[in-house]
Amino acid sequence: MSSVAVLTQESFNEHRSGLLPEQKAAVAGTGAPGEEEEALPTYKDAFPPLPEKAASPEGTQETANAWTSKLRPLKASVITQVFHVPLEERKYKDINQFGEGDQAKVCVDIMHKTGAHLELSLAKDQGLSIMVSGKLDAVMKARKEIVSRLQTQASATVAIPKEHHRFVIGKNGEKLQELELKTATKIQIPRPDDLSNQIKISGTKEGLEKAKHEILLISAEQDKRAVERVNIDKVFHPFITGAYNKLVGEMMQETGARINVPPPSVNKTEIVITGEKEQVALAVAMIKKVSEEKKKNATTIAVEVKKSQHKYVIGPKGNTLQEILDKTGVSVEIPPSDSSSETVILRGEPDRLGQALTEVYAKANSYNVSSVSAPSWLHRFIIGKKGQNLAKITQQMPKVHIEFTEGEDRITLEGPTKDVQMVQSQIEAIVTDLVSRMDYTEISVDPKFHRHLIGKGGVNINRIKELHKVTVRIPPDNEKSNLIRIEGDPQGVQEAKKELLELASRMENERTKDLIIEQRFHRAIIGQKGEKIKEVRDKFPEVIINFPDPAQKSDIVQLRGPRTEVEKCAKFMQKIVAEMVENSFSVSVPIFKQFHRNIIGKGGSNIKKIREETNTKIDLPAENSNSEMIVITGKKANCEVARNRILAIQKELANISEIEVSIPSKLHNSLIGSKGRFVRSIMEECGGVHIHFPTEGSGIDKVTIRGPVEEVEKAKQQLLALAEEKQIKSHTAELRAKPEYHKFLIGKGGGNIRKVRDSTGARIIFPTADDKDQELITVIGTEEAVQEAQKELEELIKSLDNVVEDNMSVDPKHHRYFVARRGQVLRDLADEYGGVMVSFPRTGSQSEKVTLKGAKECVEAAKKRMLEIVDDLDAQVTIECVIAQKFHRSIMGPKGSRIQQITRDHNVQIKFPEREDPQAAPPAEAPIQENGEANGEVKEPVDPNAPKKCDVIVISGRKERCEGAVEALKALVPVTIEVEVPFELHRYIIGQKGSGIRKMMDEFEVSLLLTFPVVALFTSTLLQALRSFKLTITVDPKYHPKIIGRKGAIITNIRTEHDVNIQFPEKNDENQDQITITGYEHKAIAAKEAIQHIVDELEEMISEDITLDSRVHARIIGARGKGIRKIMDEFKVDLRFPQSGAADPNLVTVTGRPELVDEAIDHLLNLEEEYMADVVENEAKMAYMRPPGGSAASMDEQRGPSKGFVVREAPWTTGNEKAPDMSSSEDFPSFGAPVATKTSPWGPKRIELPCFSNPPPLLLYSCS
């Protein structure tokens, strides 16, 4: 027979204490030994046997007992429900798009959000049937989502009394959530501070009715209840509640009413009773009866108890007061803690007051307070590291409280008298031991030397501490104290004191010197990773060199140390600075942007050579910068040499002319204009020529103009004409216009402003992007011309200020083109046409009305442009251009420059196909067909002449423009020509280290591939030479990790595929952007192209920061990052969320291709809008929820020694066998563990118990 016992938590707590309540009474001496034994449970009571099967006429049945009565039927964890949405209530009614579109997306989102499985089907009446499977909770949540997102919503209000609202919300909002799930509606309850009693419900018609009914039921239920308030003197409240609230609990159980008695800490006399009217009346009568009895029979006595002992009378959480009330029926009233009174009042029956008084004094005197004398500096040694020493004492005597007061030479002990005495003796012994072997001293050192005594990173002070085995306390800077305390072994204290005083004395004799060194030289003096300043410090080890913080913008470098060493170090550093000043001469050379790459050379070879040979630093502007200036830094003579060499390269490459024009120096400033505005306008108008005026005050009349021959001549004529005009009669006027009007004033291609110039003869200069005043427009010319031009411009500006509103019709199918990419087209229109505002109808609306608002001329021009765009969109066609994929990169050009040019020239959109994966497996061989069928389906034969998808380039736009773009694309397709050159001449073509062939490739923008006779390849020397071909590729170091890939996967793949060796620069390498490829030439070139392709893709990517409310981040990321991975996979972008503690917790970075980034941002902002609605809703609910009440940590009473769990009439007491060993793994095996057979009173163990996945709180098994 087998038996199993289940212990509940309450029973287990009693067992763990070692005594049952009856046993406690027996130990206290209130019962005889026989009664103690009878109080023990029998073995069968504690471990009821399992039911035995007995035959009956009806069949085999199980006997009902303690086990069968508790068994519950198992329920399926997965349920299925079907919901029907009628056609008239469907939110998405497009029958043609069933299974796709917004409806499908909503369903997928519901499945991800709730974890339920959805299946949709369409009924004959076009109603929607949705089958939802999953766990009950998931199904209910999915139902709520379906109703709110797939079904049209109605709304209604229901009015119930304001005081009933909290019953609709329920505890922590649980009732409201249950109602919403049950009825699949959204219920909005007014806030507590809102006087409205209207509850708003939104959802389906059926759900509205259900929710209304449920809310009215709750309100009706509350109407039946009564509330009664009874005023009873505070002193009688303990008699009404009873000890441990037993009496009030019995009253509530008997009457069924709820009785709320204010706690002792709240000074209120009102007791509130709620419930059914009859129940409330009965409870009020009982309370008044108890109160009247106590008023009549109770008397009081007052006794004096020391204020410090009051807490012992109260006990933890008032337990002692409850204990006295329980034993004697007397209430003990303690004065509040903020009162100085020591009078304690006892109230109760006269014959019980004596016993209660004894209890009060016993509790008051059960604790003692004592103190131990100990110097305050020893306190931390007594406590020990992380309180280890003190923990040993408190573990033995947990009731003793030990208190250390900072600055006082004593330790306070508080607790039971005996325990306090034992702890006192232990601490006194520790103090005596520490005083005998520890000492301390204090020395006075000026606070300004404290940080030098500590040393960098505490190196000095840590050395002294370890050497002398002492503790040194140096006061923090904010204390402004000069006392340093040393504690430890007496001898170590004296030695440490001596060393610290010597250090302080040496510092007092030191000298501090300030060197004025321009901050721009600080980084150069320090060097990379501090290498150069380390050399200086090694040379002058006794001198401390302090540079100012870069943020302070200070030029003062401080030297401190012995006088002579400081002087030497100062001279040495001044010498370094003098050399830097000599080498910091700077000159700017204007070079046309298109020639910068020629100056750099392939792999930076040209610029590197000039740098090395002239010993100068040459900085070129960034590729995306508009600047054409190349800055050369170094010695003056060297800079001039480098300048001439760079100009010579430009002169070779282009038809560049340089002429000098003589213009009186007094006119130079007026020609240059404020911040160079006039001269800049001439330079821009004349194709970007460079005009160089001599330095101011030099008296030189010669002005240099350099650039293409035609443009130089044009600039010369304009400059001379301007100078002549200035000499004859010069007049200038200024007027202001909003920056957004400037583009409209200038007109497309400068047409508007050219008309004004031609008609008046005045010169009009608009501000550049670098000018601070963006509104200022300058007009130059004769007085008449300036006045006329000013008048025309003012009329134009005035007309632009006249804001009008106009409408136009645009087919809804074209709306997306204008608002896509977060309204880029509309932003361009606003920029071009004076800030005109264009408003399209909301998404989903079928309205054609588009509103334009702005200046009248701007609105008309924008309207005209929009009609042109719509006309283009209506006439748009899509044609395919087939070009082999291997030529696509060549057609695109560097960073897509060629394809962008074609797009601009022909106003079309060009889409290249995805690259074909070269590693993809070839299509599997088609299965044998029978009767022309395969798998029951007839398949059309594939046309072998049909172009591959990866070769088809799609072009969209007007037909004639698309055809022009096709011609332009085909013109860019490279051709291959073979030229026979004798093998022995190949080395002359290749040149030294491939320089000859590289020069030809760069000069003519072609790719050259030399083939060699097969016979020549057999010699090992030639093979070695061929395999040793080396080329370098310049790649920004920030892309290196992406090229290498995770655990080197990408770079290993390239190495293996092309059979080459690829070397990345070392950390300390000078050229951090050079990647070296070694192998056969054609393979090295192929590997280079593979790397360049990766770099091109990375360079095309952009990063955009958006602001997403941090409260929705977790929902967007999803469980274990599922949500964010889905978004990243879907839009092929990278998302970076801020870390905890970030400056802006709402900032999210999106990285990827521009069009994909825009789409991902749109998706994220839509998700934020959706999730924020839930966040606001939850916050509104939280307003009604009561914060969980905190509870002070309770002190468990010390229990007596445990006797274990004792039972009578156990099997082992009837025979000679011993009781089972609780620690034995054989008698009490682990769940599911195999057990060896053992003979015992329990019988042979034939049953191996299964391992339960969810075992009850405690199971005791026995098998026989």
mmCIF file of all heavy atoms in Angstrom, residues 1193-1222:
data_model
loop_
_atom_site.group_PDB
_atom_site.id
_atom_site.type_symbol
_atom_site.label_atom_id
_atom_site.label_comp_id
_atom_site.label_asym_id
_atom_site.label_seq_id
_atom_site.Cartn_x
_atom_site.Cartn_y
_atom_site.Cartn_z
ATOM 1 N N ALA A 1193 9.511 45.948 8.829
ATOM 2 C CA ALA A 1193 10.054 44.591 9.050
ATOM 3 C C ALA A 1193 9.704 44.130 10.445
ATOM 4 O O ALA A 1193 9.932 44.833 11.420
ATOM 5 C CB ALA A 1193 11.554 44.600 8.856
ATOM 6 N N SER A 1194 9.109 42.963 10.542
ATOM 7 C CA SER A 1194 8.708 42.439 11.869
ATOM 8 C C SER A 1194 9.824 41.617 12.463
ATOM 9 O O SER A 1194 10.625 41.037 11.765
ATOM 10 C CB SER A 1194 7.454 41.597 11.724
ATOM 11 O OG SER A 1194 7.713 40.511 10.899
ATOM 12 N N MET A 1195 9.818 41.604 13.775
ATOM 13 C CA MET A 1195 10.834 40.815 14.491
ATOM 14 C C MET A 1195 10.178 39.515 14.950
ATOM 15 O O MET A 1195 9.210 39.534 15.720
ATOM 16 C CB MET A 1195 11.362 41.586 15.708
ATOM 17 C CG MET A 1195 12.155 42.835 15.334
ATOM 18 S SD MET A 1195 12.532 43.833 16.765
ATOM 19 C CE MET A 1195 13.542 42.687 17.674
ATOM 20 N N ASP A 1196 10.659 38.409 14.416
ATOM 21 C CA ASP A 1196 10.105 37.101 14.808
ATOM 22 C C ASP A 1196 10.542 36.766 16.226
ATOM 23 O O ASP A 1196 11.702 36.981 16.593
ATOM 24 C CB ASP A 1196 10.608 35.990 13.864
ATOM 25 C CG ASP A 1196 10.050 36.162 12.480
ATOM 26 O OD1 ASP A 1196 8.984 36.801 12.387
ATOM 27 O OD2 ASP A 1196 10.678 35.679 11.517
ATOM 28 N N GLU A 1197 9.603 36.261 16.979
ATOM 29 C CA GLU A 1197 9.964 35.834 18.340
ATOM 30 C C GLU A 1197 10.839 34.592 18.250
ATOM 31 O O GLU A 1197 10.700 33.765 17.380
ATOM 32 C CB GLU A 1197 8.684 35.520 19.125
ATOM 33 C CG GLU A 1197 7.828 36.755 19.406
ATOM 34 C CD GLU A 1197 6.633 36.405 20.269
ATOM 35 O OE1 GLU A 1197 6.627 35.296 20.807
ATOM 36 O OE2 GLU A 1197 5.743 37.240 20.382
ATOM 37 N N GLN A 1198 11.744 34.496 19.228
ATOM 38 C CA GLN A 1198 12.637 33.340 19.262
ATOM 39 C C GLN A 1198 11.862 32.105 19.692
ATOM 40 O O GLN A 1198 11.135 32.135 20.697
ATOM 41 C CB GLN A 1198 13.790 33.592 20.248
ATOM 42 C CG GLN A 1198 14.748 34.645 19.751
ATOM 43 C CD GLN A 1198 15.431 34.179 18.488
ATOM 44 O OE1 GLN A 1198 15.960 33.095 18.431
ATOM 45 N NE2 GLN A 1198 15.384 35.007 17.465
ATOM 46 N N ARG A 1199 11.959 31.096 18.888
ATOM 47 C CA ARG A 1199 11.257 29.861 19.227
ATOM 48 C C ARG A 1199 12.167 28.961 20.057
ATOM 49 O O ARG A 1199 13.382 29.075 20.011
ATOM 50 C CB ARG A 1199 10.862 29.119 17.938
ATOM 51 C CG ARG A 1199 9.988 29.952 17.007
ATOM 52 C CD ARG A 1199 9.560 29.115 15.820
ATOM 53 N NE ARG A 1199 8.809 29.928 14.886
ATOM 54 C CZ ARG A 1199 7.508 30.166 14.997
ATOM 55 N NH1 ARG A 1199 6.846 29.668 16.016
ATOM 56 N NH2 ARG A 1199 6.875 30.914 14.106
ATOM 57 N N GLY A 1200 11.530 28.045 20.785
ATOM 58 C CA GLY A 1200 12.307 27.091 21.580
ATOM 59 C C GLY A 1200 12.948 26.069 20.699
ATOM 60 O O GLY A 1200 12.715 26.024 19.502
ATOM 61 N N PRO A 1201 13.797 25.197 21.236
ATOM 62 C CA PRO A 1201 14.454 24.161 20.425
ATOM 63 C C PRO A 1201 13.413 23.243 19.803
ATOM 64 O O PRO A 1201 12.473 22.823 20.457
ATOM 65 C CB PRO A 1201 15.343 23.422 21.435
ATOM 66 C CG PRO A 1201 14.768 23.747 22.767
ATOM 67 C CD PRO A 1201 14.159 25.108 22.666
ATOM 68 N N SER A 1202 13.567 22.955 18.497
ATOM 69 C CA SER A 1202 12.587 22.148 17.757
ATOM 70 C C SER A 1202 12.687 20.679 18.117
ATOM 71 O O SER A 1202 13.781 20.129 18.231
ATOM 72 C CB SER A 1202 12.834 22.328 16.257
ATOM 73 O OG SER A 1202 11.994 21.460 15.558
ATOM 74 N N LYS A 1203 11.491 20.086 18.314
ATOM 75 C CA LYS A 1203 11.464 18.640 18.568
ATOM 76 C C LYS A 1203 11.205 17.864 17.279
ATOM 77 O O LYS A 1203 11.047 16.665 17.301
ATOM 78 C CB LYS A 1203 10.345 18.311 19.574
ATOM 79 C CG LYS A 1203 10.637 18.777 20.997
ATOM 80 C CD LYS A 1203 9.546 18.283 21.919
ATOM 81 C CE LYS A 1203 9.804 18.698 23.361
ATOM 82 N NZ LYS A 1203 8.756 18.199 24.262
ATOM 83 N N GLY A 1204 11.066 18.607 16.192
ATOM 84 C CA GLY A 1204 10.738 17.946 14.937
ATOM 85 C C GLY A 1204 9.246 17.682 14.860
ATOM 86 O O GLY A 1204 8.463 18.160 15.678
ATOM 87 N N PHE A 1205 8.852 16.919 13.855
ATOM 88 C CA PHE A 1205 7.430 16.591 13.655
ATOM 89 C C PHE A 1205 7.161 15.243 14.307
ATOM 90 O O PHE A 1205 7.682 14.218 13.889
ATOM 91 C CB PHE A 1205 7.133 16.573 12.146
ATOM 92 C CG PHE A 1205 5.704 16.219 11.830
ATOM 93 C CD1 PHE A 1205 4.684 16.789 12.561
ATOM 94 C CD2 PHE A 1205 5.401 15.330 10.825
ATOM 95 C CE1 PHE A 1205 3.375 16.486 12.269
ATOM 96 C CE2 PHE A 1205 4.091 15.027 10.538
ATOM 97 C CZ PHE A 1205 3.075 15.606 11.252
ATOM 98 N N VAL A 1206 6.329 15.266 15.392
ATOM 99 C CA VAL A 1206 6.100 14.058 16.211
ATOM 100 C C VAL A 1206 4.705 13.524 15.952
ATOM 101 O O VAL A 1206 3.731 14.291 15.919
ATOM 102 C CB VAL A 1206 6.261 14.393 17.720
ATOM 103 C CG1 VAL A 1206 6.119 13.135 18.568
ATOM 104 C CG2 VAL A 1206 7.599 15.061 17.962
ATOM 105 N N VAL A 1207 4.590 12.176 15.719
ATOM 106 C CA VAL A 1207 3.280 11.521 15.535
ATOM 107 C C VAL A 1207 3.209 10.282 16.416
ATOM 108 O O VAL A 1207 4.241 9.720 16.829
ATOM 109 C CB VAL A 1207 3.053 11.123 14.044
ATOM 110 C CG1 VAL A 1207 2.956 12.323 13.172
ATOM 111 C CG2 VAL A 1207 4.157 10.189 13.555
ATOM 112 N N ARG A 1208 1.958 9.890 16.704
ATOM 113 C CA ARG A 1208 1.725 8.664 17.491
ATOM 114 C C ARG A 1208 1.350 7.519 16.557
ATOM 115 O O ARG A 1208 0.914 7.733 15.441
ATOM 116 C CB ARG A 1208 0.581 8.886 18.490
ATOM 117 C CG ARG A 1208 0.907 9.898 19.571
ATOM 118 C CD ARG A 1208 -0.236 10.044 20.582
ATOM 119 N NE ARG A 1208 -1.398 10.711 20.038
ATOM 120 C CZ ARG A 1208 -2.603 10.147 19.909
ATOM 121 N NH1 ARG A 1208 -2.784 8.895 20.289
ATOM 122 N NH2 ARG A 1208 -3.612 10.820 19.395
ATOM 123 N N GLU A 1209 1.527 6.280 17.046
ATOM 124 C CA GLU A 1209 1.113 5.053 16.360
ATOM 125 C C GLU A 1209 1.732 4.928 14.960
ATOM 126 O O GLU A 1209 1.088 4.530 14.007
ATOM 127 C CB GLU A 1209 -0.424 5.007 16.250
ATOM 128 C CG GLU A 1209 -1.128 5.035 17.595
ATOM 129 C CD GLU A 1209 -2.641 5.122 17.456
ATOM 130 O OE1 GLU A 1209 -3.123 4.910 16.325
ATOM 131 O OE2 GLU A 1209 -3.318 5.417 18.449
ATOM 132 N N ALA A 1210 3.020 5.320 14.861
ATOM 133 C CA ALA A 1210 3.718 5.179 13.580
ATOM 134 C C ALA A 1210 4.139 3.729 13.385
ATOM 135 O O ALA A 1210 4.308 2.996 14.362
ATOM 136 C CB ALA A 1210 4.940 6.073 13.549
ATOM 137 N N PRO A 1211 4.316 3.260 12.134
ATOM 138 C CA PRO A 1211 4.664 1.842 11.880
ATOM 139 C C PRO A 1211 5.925 1.397 12.606
ATOM 140 O O PRO A 1211 6.017 0.269 13.063
ATOM 141 C CB PRO A 1211 4.853 1.795 10.365
ATOM 142 C CG PRO A 1211 4.084 2.951 9.842
ATOM 143 C CD PRO A 1211 4.150 4.002 10.899
ATOM 144 N N TRP A 1212 6.908 2.317 12.702
ATOM 145 C CA TRP A 1212 8.185 1.892 13.304
ATOM 146 C C TRP A 1212 8.118 1.762 14.832
ATOM 147 O O TRP A 1212 9.031 1.249 15.441
ATOM 148 C CB TRP A 1212 9.291 2.862 12.898
ATOM 149 C CG TRP A 1212 8.990 4.292 13.219
ATOM 150 C CD1 TRP A 1212 9.163 4.921 14.390
ATOM 151 C CD2 TRP A 1212 8.436 5.246 12.329
ATOM 152 N NE1 TRP A 1212 8.755 6.202 14.307
ATOM 153 C CE2 TRP A 1212 8.298 6.452 13.033
ATOM 154 C CE3 TRP A 1212 8.014 5.200 10.985
ATOM 155 C CZ2 TRP A 1212 7.776 7.612 12.467
ATOM 156 C CZ3 TRP A 1212 7.513 6.343 10.434
ATOM 157 C CH2 TRP A 1212 7.388 7.536 11.162
ATOM 158 N N THR A 1213 7.023 2.273 15.460
ATOM 159 C CA THR A 1213 6.909 2.164 16.934
ATOM 160 C C THR A 1213 6.314 0.835 17.346
ATOM 161 O O THR A 1213 6.405 0.429 18.504
ATOM 162 C CB THR A 1213 6.025 3.292 17.484
ATOM 163 O OG1 THR A 1213 4.737 3.210 16.869
ATOM 164 C CG2 THR A 1213 6.638 4.651 17.204
ATOM 165 N N THR A 1214 5.686 0.117 16.386
ATOM 166 C CA THR A 1214 5.019 -1.151 16.724
ATOM 167 C C THR A 1214 5.988 -2.320 16.659
ATOM 168 O O THR A 1214 5.791 -3.339 17.280
ATOM 169 C CB THR A 1214 3.849 -1.397 15.771
ATOM 170 O OG1 THR A 1214 4.349 -1.389 14.436
ATOM 171 C CG2 THR A 1214 2.808 -0.300 15.921
ATOM 172 N N GLY A 1215 7.044 -2.219 15.895
ATOM 173 C CA GLY A 1215 8.008 -3.317 15.749
ATOM 174 C C GLY A 1215 9.350 -2.965 16.341
ATOM 175 O O GLY A 1215 9.507 -2.005 17.109
ATOM 176 N N ASN A 1216 10.374 -3.737 15.920
ATOM 177 C CA ASN A 1216 11.737 -3.503 16.417
ATOM 178 C C ASN A 1216 12.535 -2.604 15.482
ATOM 179 O O ASN A 1216 13.705 -2.343 15.726
ATOM 180 C CB ASN A 1216 12.476 -4.851 16.584
ATOM 181 C CG ASN A 1216 11.799 -5.721 17.640
ATOM 182 O OD1 ASN A 1216 11.290 -5.198 18.627
ATOM 183 N ND2 ASN A 1216 11.781 -7.037 17.416
ATOM 184 N N GLU A 1217 11.892 -2.192 14.357
ATOM 185 C CA GLU A 1217 12.631 -1.396 13.371
ATOM 186 C C GLU A 1217 12.813 0.042 13.852
ATOM 187 O O GLU A 1217 11.997 0.560 14.615
ATOM 188 C CB GLU A 1217 11.867 -1.371 12.026
ATOM 189 C CG GLU A 1217 11.749 -2.720 11.354
ATOM 190 C CD GLU A 1217 13.088 -3.236 10.848
ATOM 191 O OE1 GLU A 1217 13.960 -2.401 10.574
ATOM 192 O OE2 GLU A 1217 13.231 -4.462 10.746
ATOM 193 N N LYS A 1218 13.897 0.646 13.390
ATOM 194 C CA LYS A 1218 14.163 2.048 13.718
ATOM 195 C C LYS A 1218 13.330 2.957 12.806
ATOM 196 O O LYS A 1218 12.928 2.558 11.732
ATOM 197 C CB LYS A 1218 15.653 2.366 13.516
ATOM 198 C CG LYS A 1218 16.538 1.681 14.534
ATOM 199 C CD LYS A 1218 17.938 2.261 14.495
ATOM 200 C CE LYS A 1218 18.615 1.933 13.163
ATOM 201 N NZ LYS A 1218 19.986 2.457 13.133
ATOM 202 N N ALA A 1219 13.123 4.191 13.306
ATOM 203 C CA ALA A 1219 12.407 5.187 12.485
ATOM 204 C C ALA A 1219 13.244 5.532 11.255
ATOM 205 O O ALA A 1219 14.473 5.459 11.299
ATOM 206 C CB ALA A 1219 12.148 6.446 13.309
ATOM 207 N N PRO A 1220 12.592 5.882 10.142
ATOM 208 C CA PRO A 1220 13.358 6.221 8.917
ATOM 209 C C PRO A 1220 14.261 7.436 9.162
ATOM 210 O O PRO A 1220 13.885 8.371 9.859
ATOM 211 C CB PRO A 1220 12.281 6.533 7.881
ATOM 212 C CG PRO A 1220 11.059 6.851 8.676
ATOM 213 C CD PRO A 1220 11.138 6.043 9.932
ATOM 214 N N ASP A 1221 15.464 7.351 8.535
ATOM 215 C CA ASP A 1221 16.456 8.439 8.664
ATOM 216 C C ASP A 1221 16.088 9.569 7.685
ATOM 217 O O ASP A 1221 16.102 9.374 6.477
ATOM 218 C CB ASP A 1221 17.849 7.884 8.323
ATOM 219 C CG ASP A 1221 18.915 8.950 8.516
ATOM 220 O OD1 ASP A 1221 18.550 10.068 8.949
ATOM 221 O OD2 ASP A 1221 20.093 8.660 8.222
ATOM 222 N N MET A 1222 15.775 10.778 8.243
ATOM 223 C CA MET A 1222 15.329 11.907 7.398
ATOM 224 C C MET A 1222 16.432 12.353 6.442
ATOM 225 O O MET A 1222 16.177 12.887 5.381
ATOM 226 C CB MET A 1222 14.910 13.101 8.274
ATOM 227 C CG MET A 1222 13.729 12.815 9.175
ATOM 228 S SD MET A 1222 12.201 12.681 8.287
ATOM 229 C CE MET A 1222 11.893 14.381 7.932
#
